[in-house]
Amino acid sequence: MKAYYIFGLSLSMVFNTVLDVNAQSDGTPVLPKEIEEYTLEFERIQSLDRLERNIEVLYRKGFAAGKRLLYQADSSDLFLLERLSEEQLRAVSRALPGIFLTRDEVVQANPDPKSFLEFALKWGGRADIAFFSTLQISYSSPGWPLYIEPQTDYGGCRRLGSFVFSELYGMWRAFQSRFPDRYKEEVRRELAG
């Protein structure tokens, strides 16, 4: 079995005690593939030349990893993220750079627009920078679209009467026309609001 390292920790060290969801016949934990794929892609992307790097793939893998952490693996009504100890949560956070994790009032596992803009500035091209700049403008914080006025930690109301809807829609349409073959699925989701 090949060993992968991120931030000096082997993936097996991070995940062996963290996400023992299922075990193989030899007792080795089966890592949720979405989480492992994101971690490996993050490490891989850093070793590539700038022209070979694909932040779009990393972002999609980040979405999939976040979705996996919000999966209910059993009948306990707890998400996988909620079942982790504090130590396990810290290990998962280290293994998922750029993914915003919280389980205080609201349970969230989302790619963080600010972190991904930093990745795009460091490793990406014009489309990546434009996408994540627009995404950061669109969200007041991870998981909270700008057009939602937070009322509590877990709910809010749409900002009706402001021009935020039309402004964001215009920004996403401009991105779509400038980069028609990039971030198609994500832009479609943002336009659907």
Side-chain angles (χ1 to χ4, degrees), residues 121-138:
L121 290 168
K122 190 174 180 181
W123 305 319
R126 289 186 338 219
D128 301 307
I129 294 167
F131 177 80
F132 291 109
S133 294
T134 307
L135 193 67
Q136 186 175 6
I137 291 168
S138 298

Side-chain angles (χ1 to χ4, degrees), residues 56-143:
E56 191 170 347
V57 169
L58 181 67
Y59 184 70
R60 287 190 181 133
K61 289 180 185 275
F63 241 94
K67 222 172 141 179
R68 180 63 176 97
L69 286 168
L70 299 179
Y71 173 74
Q72 292 173 322
D74 57 26
S75 60
S76 70
D77 289 333
L78 292 177
F79 294 120
L80 180 58
L81 183 61
E82 293 175 292
R83 295 190 344 234
L84 302 176
S85 70
E86 287 301 317
E87 180 183 340
Q88 292 169 332
L89 180 62
R90 283 190 297 278
V92 169
S93 292
R94 284 192 309 272
L96 297 175
I99 305 299
F100 175 77
L101 303 175
T102 184
R103 58 185 189 182
D104 296 330
E105 289 289 322
V106 177
V107 180
Q108 290 184 30
N110 303 312
D112 178 23
K114 181 180 178 187
S115 296
F116 270 85
L117 177 57
E118 291 171 10
F119 299 160
L121 290 168
K122 190 174 180 181
W123 305 319
R126 289 186 338 219
D128 301 307
I129 294 167
F131 177 80
F132 291 109
S133 294
T134 307
L135 193 67
Q136 186 175 6
I137 291 168
S138 298
Y139 288 84
S140 55
S141 65

Side-chain angles (χ1 to χ4, degrees), residues 36-46 48 53-55 57-59 61:
E36 183 177 17
E37 286 173 358
Y38 177 82
T39 303
L40 295 175
E41 183 66 20
F42 184 83
E43 182 143 308
R44 187 184 79 77
I45 207 167
Q46 295 176 73
L48 298 173
R53 293 176 175 153
N54 193 331
I55 309 295
V57 169
L58 181 67
Y59 184 70
K61 289 180 185 275

Side-chain angles (χ1 to χ4, degrees), residues 12-23:
S12 60
M13 286 170 43
V14 171
F15 290 111
N16 278 344
T17 59
V18 174
L19 301 171
D20 190 7
V21 177
N22 295 309

